[in-house]
Amino acid sequence: TVTQVFIRGIGQTSDAETNDPAVATNIDGVYASRFTLSGSLFDVERVEVLYGPQGTLYGRNAAGGAVNVTTKLPDFAFGGEGLVEYGNYNYLHGFAAANLPVSDELALRVAVDAAQRDGFISNGQNDLDSLAGRLSARWEPTEALSVVARAEVQKADSDGDSLIVRPLLDPDDPWFQPAARGEDYYSRRKVQKYSAEINYD
C-alpha cells in the first residue's frame, strides 16, 4: 500500500511507477515519492497544504496542489520529548527526540520512531513493524549563514497487504482471508534519505 494524496478531488489512484502523482509532496524541501511518503512521518514541525495547480514552483506533479512537510530543527537549548501509545490489535507506538547543543554554533537533534501492530486479517496480513530514525545538524557560524543537514533511515516489514474477498468466504468472520497454498506474502521496505539546506542572508 502506498499513500495517495488528493486535494479538492484531484489526485492519482494508480500506483504504477510510470504514472506520476497529481499532488507533489515535499519533506524538508525534497520531493518525496509515494513509497517514501508511506513510511513514518515523525518529529514534524508543520504541514503546509497548497491547492493547485502549483506547477510553476513544484513541477509537473503538482496539478492538484502540493503538500509541504517540515520537520523540527535542532535547538540550541538542551531538551527532549517522548510519546508512548497502545491500541487495539496490540498496537504499540513509541517516539523520542532530543536536542543536543554541541556549541554556540552547532546543535544536533536525534529522533526515533517505532511502531508494531498485529495484522487486521486473520492470516496475519496488514500488520505493521516499522522503525525510523533521523539525525539533524544545525550549524550557524554567523548571523547571516545557516546550514542544516539531515540523515534519515526507515525500515518497514510486514506480512504483506491484503484485501477481503467478496462475497465473504466466511459470513461469520468478515475479516477472514485464507492464505493461498504454497505462497508466502511479505513486504520489506528500506528507505534512506539525506538532505542539506544552506541559507545565506
Side-chain angles (χ1 to χ4, degrees), residues 24-70:
T25 304
N26 305 282
I27 301 177
D28 293 323
V30 179
Y31 177 78
S33 68
R34 284 169 291 187
F35 290 97
T36 305
L37 187 60
S38 298
S40 300
L41 285 177
F42 61 101
D43 202 30
V44 173
E45 177 70 29
R46 66 183 182 274
V47 178
E48 177 185 38
V49 180
L50 306 174
Y51 62 83
Q54 291 287 340
T56 301
L57 295 178
Y58 297 101
R60 66 178 184 176
N61 294 350
V67 177
N68 298 321
V69 179
T70 302

Side-chain angles (χ1 to χ4, degrees), residues 14 31 34 42 48 56 67 72 87 99 108 129 177 195:
S14 174
Y31 177 78
R34 284 169 291 187
F42 61 101
E48 177 185 38
T56 301
V67 177
K72 293 184 179 180
N99 278 316
L108 303 176
D129 184 6
Q177 172 68 30
S195 66

Side-chain angles (χ1 to χ4, degrees), residues 16 21 43 66 71 86 97 101 110-111 117 135 141 145 148 151 155-156 163 165 194 199:
D43 202 30
T71 61
Y86 181 78
V110 179
R117 186 196 66 230
L135 174 62
L145 178 62
V148 178
K155 179 181 73 71
L163 301 175
V165 178
Y194 306 94
N199 293 298

Side-chain angles (χ1 to χ4, degrees), residues 40 42 132-135 150-154 191-194:
S40 300
F42 61 101
R134 181 187 304 118
L135 174 62
R150 300 178 179 91
E152 182 176 334
V153 177
Q154 293 193 12
V191 177
Q192 296 180 359
K193 296 187 288 185
Y194 306 94

